[in-house]
Amino acid sequence: MFRSHTCGELRSSDVNSEVTLSGWVHKSRDKGFVIWIDLRDRYGITQLVFDEERTDTDLLEKARTLGREFVVQIKGKVIERTSKNPNIPTGDIEILVDNLVILNKSLVPPFTLEDKTDGGDDLRMKYRYLDIRRTPVKNNLIFRSKVSMEVRKYLSNEGFIEVETPYLIKSTPEGARDFVVPSRMNEGQFYALPQSPQTFKQLLMVGGLDKYFQIVKCFRDEDLRADRQPEFTQIDCEMAFVEQEDILTTFEGLTKHLIKEINGKDVSAFPRLTYDDAMKRYGNDKPDIRFGMEFAELTDVSKHRDFGIFNSAEIVVGIAVPGGSTYTRKEIDKLIAWIRRPQIGAKGMVYVKCNEDGSYKSSVDKFYSQEDLKVWAEKASAEPGDLLCILSGSIKETRPQLSALRMEMAERLGLRNPEDFAPLWVVDFPLLELDDETGNYHAMHHPFTSPKPGQLELLETDPSAVRANAYDLVLNGNEIGGGSIRIHNKEIQKIMFKHLGFTPEEANAQFGFLLDAFQYGAPPHGGIAFGLDRLVAILGGQETIRDFIAFPKNNSGRDVMIDAPSPLDQEQLKELHLKIQS
């Protein structure tokens, strides 16, 4: 056998035991008369010792040949360390080695395999198999496995059945671009990789499997934004004979279970906000409610003076930054420069210092009285010592800009504690969104989402007013899950397709299989999908999903380790009936 114990297992109770260990050489310290080597595996580090008094000369010389990351097997006796190391679990013991086998040599790694490495992102991605040996990355992957196991445990106990759905499916025009796969045996035809198993899980409900789940890989060929991956993992779920409340209750339970089992925290409150309220109070549909700074709409109380910027604005809105009145003019100017960056796009900012003595100092003192500023402060629930930050302009642009400022100020003030968990549901989304460029409507979630009860008729008269029977689960300012009650009636689904611009022929060509299935007793059903990558990162106290993916792509969607995507040779192209235009 290669090992009797792991490198993180031995303790003082094992002293005098004969053991066999295998692992990687982490560090070597040669003092001439004695050599210490740290041997590492997935489970930890054990110190090995070779010395002139107790070690055979040939063995001592062999130990001197070991380089970093050599793979070795040793046999020896567990002895008590003279100088104990309280920083590692095995720090009370070491192994006096009497046999050493070099299983494989190693080149010198291109970066240090320590918790804090000297390797940049690109270098570590190129040698990801080495990066995984580092404790933070290794622990993140173990953590991800633990979360996945808890998900399976909870859903299985709730009666859910895990079912695998196909990866080679049909391309559809909805949502992001599909990754397409040419069919060798069907010339000129293509599969698509699934953006989600949406239609298949609905068909499983028609098939009578009334509680389904799957931890599934999904694919989207979209322009990559920060911390997005072209392939990602979902916890995909569907239930039959349910209403929205049943879904919310079930998956509140899953979220509570994960936070308790993984983080040891109890979460009881899952507030619910309508989409309209979330946009009005926080400027986005995934608000972080671990802190305040809610929006104060000041439009009605700011347009009675001769200040043209506010008078011409569709909306005037502000937030009260705790303790911000101590900011100097230079610090405020830097803040204004921050929101004027292209990524935010604000044209400027009005500020009001709420002084401790109850007076106010603003950048618009020449236009507004102390009484005016007091009214603004009261509307924003600003306390003495706070700074009121005010933006104005169109609703569509100004609310997201102030939302970005709110999050930035919370980050600077240390209000986003990763050890605190504040979930909430956002409900009652618009069913349809109007595309300003084309003038056409598209589904805000997907075309299978049901309108809220009693609102179907509005599709004909006022499509933008129709609310979706949809819901998003938000945790610490991140959407971790989203779903809806589905349409399960063929005629209603056809109406929905019509409002999305499908002709009957197009709808039948794309989704005829689903429409046909609805004719055979489709039950009421609904579901949700969690983004596992994001959920794991948040539970792990981080927001970068790449750190929790074994082999992630870079910001350009490339795998720099295996150099993919890559060209095909001419013979492969010919077999696939493809011709690359030069």
Side-chain angles (χ1 to χ4, degrees):
M1 61 182 176
F2 279 106
R3 58 187 179 187
S4 61
H5 298 78
T6 70
C7 293
E9 185 176 351
L10 298 169
R11 302 291 187 269
S12 55
S13 58
D14 296 298
V15 167
N16 293 324
S17 298
E18 295 288 339
V19 299
T20 302
L21 302 180
S22 293
W24 288 265
V25 173
H26 187 64
K27 286 181 180 177
S28 179
R29 301 178 295 284
D30 188 347
K31 298 297 184 183
F33 63 92
V34 61
I35 300 172
W36 289 285
I37 289 174
D38 288 345
L39 189 67
R40 183 196 73 241
D41 65 8
R42 164 189 152 185
Y43 305 93
I45 288 176
T46 296
Q47 180 170 283
L48 314 178
V49 62
F50 306 78
D51 64 36
E52 289 182 346
E53 293 184 4
R54 297 174 290 182
T55 304
D56 176 85
T57 302
D58 290 342
L59 181 58
L60 193 64
E61 289 306 311
K62 190 175 185 180
R64 285 199 169 95
T65 68
L66 298 179
R68 284 167 49 198
E69 301 306 310
F70 275 40
V71 186
V72 302
Q73 179 193 54
I74 63 94
K75 294 182 181 180
K77 179 186 287 188
V78 181
I79 61 175
E80 187 173 359
R81 282 175 67 160
T82 304
S83 179
K84 294 180 170 54
N85 181 356
N87 297 318
I88 58 174
T90 61
D92 289 344
I93 60 93
E94 59 189 3
I95 312 299
L96 179 61
V97 178
D98 57 37
N99 187 59
L100 167 65
V101 178
I102 299 175
L103 300 174
N104 217 334
K105 296 181 179 181
S106 173
L107 298 174
V108 176
F111 53 89
T112 56
L113 305 187
E114 303 285 350
D115 289 4
K116 292 187 176 180
T117 181
D118 57 358
D121 285 351
D122 288 344
L123 186 62
R124 291 189 296 109
M125 291 304 101
K126 182 175 177 62
Y127 297 96
R128 184 62 165 179
Y129 45 87
L130 296 179
D131 199 35
I132 290 171
R133 294 183 192 173
R134 295 195 308 116
T135 299
V137 181
K138 174 197 70 179
N139 286 348
N140 283 349
L141 297 180
I142 294 171
F143 183 84
R144 181 188 177 107
S145 175
K146 182 179 179 182
V147 173
S148 297
M149 293 298 290
E150 289 297 335
V151 168
R152 284 191 164 94
K153 181 194 302 181
Y154 179 86
L155 293 175
S156 295
N157 288 340
E158 290 292 315
F160 284 78
I161 299 168
E162 186 167 13
V163 181
E164 295 179 23
T165 52
Y167 277 165
L168 295 175
I169 66 169
K170 184 177 187 176
S171 183
T172 62
E174 280 297 312
R177 294 183 185 90
D178 290 325
F179 281 100
V180 295
V181 180
S183 171
R184 179 180 61 84
M185 298 179 67
N186 299 275
E187 182 175 351
Q189 297 185 326
F190 296 81
Y191 298 105
L193 300 179
Q195 297 183 35
S196 86
Q198 181 60 46
T199 54
F200 289 100
K201 65 180 179 178
Q202 291 189 248
L203 293 172
L204 288 171
M205 296 303 101
V206 177
L209 297 181
D210 65 345
K211 287 185 175 183
Y212 142 94
F213 86 99
Q214 183 181 190
I215 297 180
V216 60
K217 191 72 78 175
C218 302
F219 307 85
R220 289 179 185 168
D221 187 11
E222 58 187 349
D223 295 335
L224 295 178
R225 289 175 275 168
D227 207 30
R228 290 285 183 94
Q229 292 281 306
E231 54 179 311
F232 55 96
T233 305
Q234 285 187 179
I235 307 166
D236 198 58
C237 308
E238 198 79 3
M239 303 169 71
F241 303 110
V242 290
E243 297 177 335
Q244 178 176 295
E245 193 64 31
D246 301 304
I247 304 282
L248 269 54
T249 299
T250 299
F251 292 98
E252 280 181 18
L254 173 61
T255 308
K256 290 177 183 177
H257 174 81
L258 291 175
I259 293 174
K260 178 66 175 178
E261 293 300 317
I262 302 298
N263 300 92
K265 300 287 184 72
D266 289 308
V267 174
S268 56
F270 281 70
R272 298 182 188 181
L273 277 179
T274 66
Y275 170 84
D276 290 340
D277 280 345
M279 297 301 294
K280 186 173 182 179
R281 292 168 60 181
Y282 301 101
N284 69 63
D285 59 4
K286 46 182 184 296
D288 191 336
I289 59 171
R290 286 175 292 180
F291 57 94
M293 288 195 279
E294 288 192 26
F295 287 13
E297 298 224 357
L298 307 174
T299 312
D300 293 341
V301 294
S302 64
K303 290 194 172 188
H304 60 296
R305 304 295 184 192
D306 191 23
F307 185 54
I309 292 175
F310 283 0
N311 291 340
S312 62
E314 184 180 8
I315 189 173
V316 180
V317 62
I319 57 172
V321 178
S325 70
T326 59
Y327 278 37
T328 65
R329 179 56 192 268
K330 187 175 181 180
E331 288 173 319
I332 292 174
D333 285 345
K334 285 184 178 180
L335 199 57
I336 293 172
W338 186 88
I339 64 170
R340 293 180 70 176
R341 297 177 310 145
Q343 300 95 312
I344 309 299
K347 294 178 180 177
M349 182 183 83
V350 169
Y351 69 86
V352 180
K353 289 187 174 184
C354 303
N355 298 321
E356 296 286 357
D357 63 4
S359 65
Y360 301 93
K361 175 63 180 172
S362 83
S363 54
V364 288
D365 279 344
K366 65 181 288 187
F367 298 102
Y368 295 96
S369 67
Q370 288 287 297
E371 190 59 36
D372 291 328
L373 302 181
K374 181 181 179 182
V375 171
W376 296 2
E378 289 174 348
K379 274 188 161 288
S381 300
E383 300 288 340
D386 290 353
L387 177 70
L388 192 56
C389 298
I390 303 169
L391 301 184
S392 61
S394 69
I395 291 174
K396 186 174 183 179
E397 293 178 341
T398 304
R399 281 180 175 157
Q401 291 164 357
L402 189 62
S403 176
L405 178 61
R406 175 180 180 266
M407 295 293 280
E408 176 66 16
M409 297 312 299
E411 200 69 52
R412 294 185 186 190
L413 295 170
L415 301 178
R416 304 188 69 209
N417 184 354
E419 295 184 3
D420 293 336
F421 297 98
L424 77 150
W425 290 103
V426 178
V427 299
D428 296 355
F429 287 83
L431 181 67
L432 304 173
E433 282 184 308
L434 187 64
D435 189 314
D436 292 334
E437 292 184 6
T438 65
N440 297 326
Y441 283 102
H442 65 267
M444 190 162 187
H445 278 73
H446 53 61
F448 316 109
T449 297
S450 173
K452 294 284 283 188
Q455 295 199 354
L456 181 63
E457 294 75 14
L458 277 175
L459 277 174
E460 296 293 343
T461 58
D462 191 3
S464 60
V466 181
R467 299 289 115 176
N469 205 344
Y471 33 82
D472 280 357
L473 182 56
V474 177
L475 183 61
N476 295 0
N478 292 274
E479 178 199 332
I480 60 167
S484 65
I485 299 298
R486 324 300 188 189
I487 297 170
H488 66 280
N489 177 281
K490 178 180 179 179
E491 296 307 316
I492 296 175
Q493 186 65 74
K494 287 167 69 174
I495 292 171
M496 184 67 172
F497 285 145
K498 182 186 78 170
H499 285 282
L500 293 172
F502 288 87
T503 66
E505 293 75 22
E506 289 170 338
N508 194 62
Q510 293 291 337
F511 302 108
F513 64 94
L514 186 64
L515 295 172
D516 287 347
F518 284 172
Q519 298 178 108
Y520 292 93
H525 59 281
I528 192 169
F530 286 74
L532 179 65
D533 309 304
R534 182 81 53 201
L535 175 62
V536 169
I538 295 171
L539 294 176
Q542 301 178 44
E543 292 190 3
T544 303
I545 65 172
R546 192 167 67 179
D547 293 340
F548 292 85
I549 298 173
F551 298 101
K553 307 292 189 289
N554 69 9
N555 291 338
S556 301
R558 292 196 64 83
D559 187 324
V560 295
M561 182 182 67
I562 63 173
D563 193 25
S566 60
L568 298 180
D569 63 36
Q570 288 300 317
E571 189 60 35
Q572 285 177 293
L573 292 172
K574 184 178 179 181
E575 282 187 340
L576 295 170
H577 318 290
L578 295 176
K579 183 177 181 181
I580 302 299
Q581 299 293 327
S582 57

